[in-house]
Amino acid sequence: MFILKLLIRNAFRHKLRTALTVVGVAIAIIAFGLLRTLVGVWYMGAERSSATRLVARNAISLIFPLPISYKERISQVQGVKEVSYGNWFGGIYIDEKHFFANYAVEPKTYLDLYPEIVLPPAEKTAFIRDRKGCIVGQKLADRYGWKIGDIITLRGTIFPGQWEFVLRGIYRGAEKSTEERALLFHWDYLNETLRKTAPQRADQVGFYMIGVANPDLAAQVAVEVDAMFKNSLAETMTETERAFHMGFIAMTSAIVVAIQIVSYVVIAIIMIVAANTMAMTARERIAEYATLKTLGFGAFHIAAIVFGESLFIAMTGGLLGVLLTFPGADWIETELSQYFPSFSVSPSTVYLDLLASLMIGAVAGVFPTWRGATIRIAEGLRRIG
Amino acid sequence: MSSGAPPIVVIKDLNKSYRRGTQIIPVLNSITFSIDEGEFLALMGPSGSGKSTLLNLIAGIDKPDSGLVSVGGVDITSLNEAELARWRAANVGFIFQFYNLLPVLTAYENVELPLLLTPLSRRERREHVETALQVVNLTDRMDHYPGQLSGGQQQRVAIARAIVPDPEILVADEPTGDLDKTSAKEILELMERLVHELGKTIIMVTHDPRAAEKAHIVRNLEKGVLNNVHS
Ligand SMILES: Nc1ncnc2c1ncn2[C@@H]1O[C@H](COP(=O)(O)OP(=O)(O)OP(=O)(O)O)[C@@H](O)[C@H]1O
Ligand SMILES: [Mg+2]
């Protein structure tokens, strides 16, 4: 009780110094938490992706297409329930700053394979019927104030030209992780235009989405599809959607690793700063600790007072940081919405935050605690004069 | 001077030196003397002569190289760290030049400190603290923090803290060294009262001749050797 009272009062003795340390720890914890969340979000697409969906693409690279004629043959493989296909369109709305994902897909099969894209039935029918129709996610529609019936014009990059679409539906994601900032339109519209303007690029797709009856069949189906097109002009590479995403993440893994390292470096830096502050504080109080020892208090009492103060300051900063991480993540979710479908702080990030604060307090406190606990009284008292 | 009762402090052949690198600095050379119960002893001598060192050895916060320090019949050189801590808490009251109060605790809480190590209840502690503060005449200031008190008042709080566990001896290292003339006089009169009215034994290191005048015995420490000045 007395120790608690003393360590808390000690903590508030140098208000500015303590406030700066608390704020420093809080900022470090916010940075740590947001960076961890970022890494988590990076992997989330892969983790949440379906195990009953396969992606087939050109074995050489994502940027090479596959012939549309593969569709029938893939459909006949044992275990395949449904096949859809599409192209990454890469169209630009207004200018590059307004980036969002847009694909040309075969609407009916695509929506079948992606039940997480939730559309009102009337809008769904309207979209499937209108060859120039498109659908967008709720967040994208909100961002530009689009309403059903609006004309949306994209400037093609991979497929040059001005492309006009009629907005037929606004979808919601069934899960929080579902991308609500994409635009989907008819692959047929793209293909027919290409037939007229660039016939050599027509009748080709960027990817096939293959729905399998159950997850156990996925591996077998992938092997069979790839075997079927072996030694053909365009060999396929078929993998689960998860593996597909992981492959994409692998390309960016250096960045992810860098972010992870930075998140730990932030903690290490604040540890050193806090340790320096605590050492300075303890040095100033050596005579007080010596006085307490003179009165009969033991090394354990001194250790509890010094270490407790360090933990108290670090945990105060840590809790403040955790509390501020949530509004920070919300802010990122709205401001940087085009990059992250969702940006929510997971419980494990909160635990890691608290663990990190505890570590900061412990590391910062260990040296002063040892000094305070082992100081010889006669020496400590001499520091006063 | 002697009344037949055994002396409360007995020191025999006490040696203490400090090591600074490879150099050995002898501070106390074969000191032998004793202090009777109820005595008010002043220890004088030039700076660096080892007065504080000797006081620390008597009070059990430092260990001699050799020799005997017996206080109240206990050979304190044979006690280990934890035993010494317990012994100090029960038997010695400390008064420092710079008061050494904890600035984050009120006068009351500072005085209560030594009692936190005893099995006394909160109410018993309160009685003891109030009594001690009455002795130093500061009951009206018990909720003040040291920073809100004058030097003389802080030293009175420190004296209350020293006497609150009712120790037999009080050690004071230049208790008036940081005080103006009036406050110093007040503190010395208070210490005299502790000897006369409460029967405490006081060992006081001082540079101040006026302080030494209040003492019954003045001893002079020079070059590690103790001389009797007057008694
Ligand atoms: N921990 C230590 N390490 C090395 N030397 C020390 C140590 N403590 C004291 N000394 C030396 O021992 C000698 C006696 O010191 P002490 O503090 O006992 O003197 P003092 O008589 O109290 O002096 P003052 O009147 O200035 O307080 C001094 O030379 C001092 O430098
Ligand atoms: Mg001294």
Side-chain angles (χ1 to χ4, degrees):
Chain A
M1 241 342 269
F2 158 73
I3 285 173
L4 199 65
K5 176 171 81 182
L6 189 57
L7 76 86
I8 289 175
R9 287 197 199 167
N10 270 340
F12 289 110
R13 224 155 117 180
H14 289 282
K15 292 205 175 56
L16 181 64
R17 184 190 293 174
T18 301
L20 288 175
T21 310
V22 165
V23 169
V25 172
I27 289 173
I29 290 298
I30 293 169
F32 181 75
L34 293 181
L35 290 172
R36 306 293 312 171
T37 304
L38 178 60
V39 171
V41 167
W42 214 289
Y43 283 108
M44 190 167 61
E47 274 163 17
R48 302 263 174 96
S49 50
S50 161
T52 58
R53 285 195 297 249
L54 295 172
V55 183
R57 56 165 170 102
N58 191 299
I60 299 167
S61 160
L62 259 173
I63 61 170
F64 291 102
L66 295 168
I68 185 69
S69 57
Y70 284 11
K71 183 187 182 222
E72 284 313 310
R73 295 177 63 191
I74 293 171
S75 304
Q76 268 138 43
V77 172
Q78 183 82 38
V80 172
K81 220 176 58 180
E82 184 141 39
V83 180
S84 187
Y85 50 89
N87 273 325
W88 169 253
F89 183 66
I92 289 168
Y93 183 65
I94 309 175
D95 61 37
E96 277 80 356
K97 270 187 238 122
H98 295 258
F99 172 86
F100 54 82
N102 43 80
Y103 306 88
V105 298
E106 199 294 300
K108 206 182 152 317
T109 49
Y110 196 84
L111 292 177
D112 280 351
L113 282 176
Y114 283 86
E116 57 264 49
I117 294 178
V118 182
L119 270 174
E123 292 182 11
K124 182 174 175 179
T125 318
F127 170 50
I128 292 172
R129 277 214 196 111
D130 182 0
R131 271 188 343 99
K132 288 186 75 175
C134 73
I135 56 170
V136 300
Q138 182 74 52
K139 286 182 181 159
L140 195 59
D142 290 347
R143 184 166 165 207
Y144 295 112
W146 288 332
K147 297 177 301 298
I148 306 288
D150 282 1
I151 306 285
I152 298 168
T153 307
L154 297 186
R155 177 163 58 80
T157 52
I158 309 169
F159 306 100
Q162 295 290 324
W163 300 74
E164 284 190 354
F165 309 104
V166 184
L167 184 57
R168 290 301 176 195
I170 296 172
Y171 71 86
R172 287 199 160 276
E175 284 158 36
K176 204 165 188 284
S177 60
T178 308
E179 173 69 272
E180 278 190 2
R181 295 179 194 86
L183 180 149
L184 303 175
F185 65 93
H186 286 242
W187 182 84
D188 278 347
Y189 176 44
L190 170 68
N191 199 48
E192 272 157 36
T193 311
L194 285 176
R195 272 191 185 146
K196 286 178 230 151
T197 59
Q200 74 286 358
R201 296 181 70 184
D203 295 326
Q204 290 178 328
V205 304
F207 50 84
Y208 284 101
M209 313 297 313
I210 306 168
V212 291
N214 76 62
D216 300 340
L217 294 172
Q220 180 61 28
V221 168
V223 170
E224 281 181 33
V225 169
D226 288 349
M228 199 155 61
F229 301 110
K230 192 107 192 122
N231 298 321
S232 71
L233 230 52
E235 294 190 355
T236 58
M237 153 93 155
T238 306
E239 52 198 354
T240 59
E241 198 175 68
R242 173 174 306 190
F244 178 74
H245 277 146
M246 290 306 277
F248 182 71
I249 287 166
M251 296 198 301
T252 56
S253 68
I255 299 172
V256 176
V257 169
I259 292 172
Q260 271 170 321
I261 290 172
V262 168
S263 72
Y264 289 119
V265 167
V266 167
I267 296 298
I269 289 172
I270 195 68
M271 257 176 200
I272 294 166
V273 172
N276 184 48
T277 308
M278 285 311 298
M280 186 161 69
T281 302
R283 195 158 47 237
E284 291 168 1
R285 299 188 188 153
I286 280 295
E288 288 170 33
Y289 302 145
T291 303
L292 282 171
K293 277 192 161 182
T294 305
L295 298 179
F297 288 87
F300 174 79
H301 292 110
I302 311 296
I305 290 166
V306 183
F307 201 67
E309 182 183 349
S310 185
L311 283 186
F312 175 78
I313 290 176
M315 290 310 286
T316 304
L319 285 174
L320 187 67
V322 167
L323 289 180
L324 292 178
T325 300
F326 288 95
D330 285 350
W331 183 82
I332 288 176
E333 189 168 308
T334 39
E335 291 300 312
L336 304 176
S337 57
Q338 66 264 47
Y339 305 112
F340 309 111
S342 83
F343 200 87
S344 49
V345 183
S346 69
S348 69
T349 297
V350 173
Y351 298 143
L352 262 178
D353 275 350
L354 294 177
L355 188 70
S357 331
L358 206 64
M359 293 277 292
I360 292 168
V363 169
V366 73
F367 179 66
T369 300
W370 178 79
R371 279 287 307 275
T374 57
I375 183 77
R376 289 180 52 244
I377 297 173
E379 310 240 325
L381 290 176
R382 288 174 73 85
R383 297 298 175 83
I384 265 197
Chain B
M1 149 181 155
S2 176
S3 60
I8 188 161
V9 177
V10 177
I11 288 168
K12 267 199 198 118
D13 268 335
L14 194 65
N15 289 290
K16 175 77 183 175
S17 53
Y18 287 109
R19 203 164 285 119
R20 202 172 286 157
T22 52
Q23 205 185 351
I24 291 177
I25 305 158
V27 179
L28 300 177
N29 267 328
S30 244
I31 304 254
T32 298
F33 77 113
S34 58
I35 304 166
D36 285 329
E37 199 167 345
E39 201 56 84
F40 189 175
L41 175 95
L43 213 51
M44 296 190 77
S47 181
S49 57
K51 304 180 296 294
S52 296
T53 304
L54 179 57
L55 197 70
N56 289 347
L57 291 173
I58 296 170
I61 57 178
D62 208 353
K63 291 253 185 182
D65 299 339
S66 65
L68 173 83
V69 181
S70 161
V71 181
V74 179
D75 173 13
I76 62 168
T77 59
S78 67
L79 302 181
N80 68 27
E81 194 95 356
E83 290 167 334
L84 259 184
R86 232 171 299 132
W87 175 82
R88 277 198 308 272
N91 298 286
V92 189
F94 290 86
I95 302 164
F96 306 94
Q97 179 175 1
F98 299 102
Y99 335 125
N100 290 25
L101 300 174
L102 297 201
V104 292
L105 300 183
T106 62
Y108 178 93
E109 290 166 332
N110 265 289
V111 176
E112 192 187 19
L113 269 179
L115 300 182
L116 295 174
L117 296 167
T118 66
L120 294 179
S121 74
R122 175 186 279 268
R123 233 197 53 226
E124 290 166 320
R125 291 204 302 268
R126 171 157 281 273
E127 283 165 14
H128 283 73
V129 172
E130 281 171 356
T131 309
L133 282 169
Q134 263 159 26
V135 171
V136 302
N137 196 19
L138 269 182
T139 35
D140 53 332
R141 296 302 192 107
M142 63 186 183
D143 292 326
H144 287 58
Y145 288 91
Q148 303 167 317
L149 299 172
S150 73
Q153 288 168 332
Q154 288 187 60
Q155 193 61 298
R156 273 147 67 194
V157 174
I159 291 173
R161 179 180 68 186
I163 61 174
V164 80
D166 200 21
E168 297 146 43
I169 66 172
L170 297 175
V171 297
D173 198 342
E174 301 186 35
T176 59
D178 200 46
L179 296 176
D180 61 61
K181 226 191 262 174
T182 344
S183 306
K185 189 159 167 278
E186 237 172 61
I187 293 299
L188 288 166
E189 278 163 5
L190 176 57
M191 290 173 74
E192 261 188 313
R193 271 178 50 216
L194 297 179
V195 173
H196 291 139
E197 292 170 23
L198 302 177
K200 303 290 178 202
T201 305
I202 297 186
I203 308 156
M204 170 178 70
V205 167
T206 187
H207 280 126
D208 179 1
R210 267 186 304 268
E213 262 169 37
K214 296 278 181 191
H216 307 162
I217 301 178
V218 179
R219 282 178 186 270
N220 206 38
L221 193 61
E222 213 160 329
K223 293 181 183 142
V225 181
L226 200 61
N227 310 299
N228 214 348
V229 174
H230 71 82
S231 40

